[in-house]
Amino acid sequence: MAENMKFDLVSPERSLVSGEASAVQIPGTDGDLTVMYGHAPVITTLRPGILRVEGPKGEEDYLVSGGFAEINGDGLTVLAERAVRRDEMHQELFNDWVAEARDAKAKADEFKNEPGPVDDAAKLLSDMVALGTHIGLDPNQTNLGG
């Protein structure tokens, strides 16, 4: 049986999880990865996606809009820009996340001769739309409510 590791998921608004996990799948910007006890130390950035925690209570899914993950041999800390439990996400909240990504893209478009910021903002928006589609929410809906 695999050893559990310490796992923390925090956002600026709150601490969502602090406890034990046997495995955590994270949506890294360079690709998804699964972290287990003894994983090599890594710091990576996150893209919008589903973070899946396997622990004593079974599997739990969280949605993150981006952030950072710090992996050490016996634990994982995720500092998310925004994060909610999967069952707490609803159309109105998702609309806010997409609007924020669209605003970032609009601001980045001012840097037409600097493709880095424009490409990053376009990728953020694309990932956000894909996340919503994956969980059954419509990125084009407005004011559907919760």
Side-chain angles (χ1 to χ4, degrees):
M1 181 166 211
E3 283 190 64
N4 284 340
M5 64 182 166
K6 176 79 172 124
F7 172 63
D8 291 293
L9 170 59
V10 296
S11 71
E13 295 86 27
R14 63 184 171 154
S15 173
L16 285 94
V17 180
S18 182
E20 300 285 313
S22 57
V24 180
Q25 296 173 7
I26 60 175
T29 53
D30 292 327
D32 294 352
L33 64 138
T34 300
V35 180
M36 300 172 80
Y37 183 84
H39 193 288
V42 174
I43 295 177
T44 188
T45 53
L46 304 177
R47 64 173 167 72
I50 297 173
L51 185 142
R52 177 163 290 144
V53 181
E54 296 175 29
K57 299 176 185 175
E59 284 188 0
E60 295 179 292
D61 288 348
Y62 298 85
L63 306 178
V64 296
S65 66
F68 297 89
E70 179 182 10
I71 305 162
N72 59 45
D74 61 355
L76 166 65
T77 301
V78 174
L79 306 171
E81 292 169 0
R82 294 180 86 175
V84 297
R85 285 180 50 92
R86 168 62 184 101
D87 59 6
E88 293 176 355
M89 180 56 83
H90 50 82
Q91 187 68 50
E92 186 176 335
L93 180 56
F94 179 67
N95 289 348
D96 290 344
W97 286 26
V98 171
E100 204 171 275
R102 284 189 175 131
D103 288 346
K105 169 86 170 60
K107 289 176 185 169
D109 282 342
E110 297 172 13
F111 299 98
K112 291 182 193 242
N113 294 327
E114 299 177 40
V118 176
D119 293 346
D120 292 346
K123 176 75 170 114
L124 172 68
L125 180 56
S126 174
D127 286 344
M128 193 66 68
V129 168
L131 172 62
T133 302
H134 181 74
I135 63 171
L137 296 175
D138 185 350
N140 299 310
Q141 286 289 333
T142 57
N143 300 323
L144 260 183

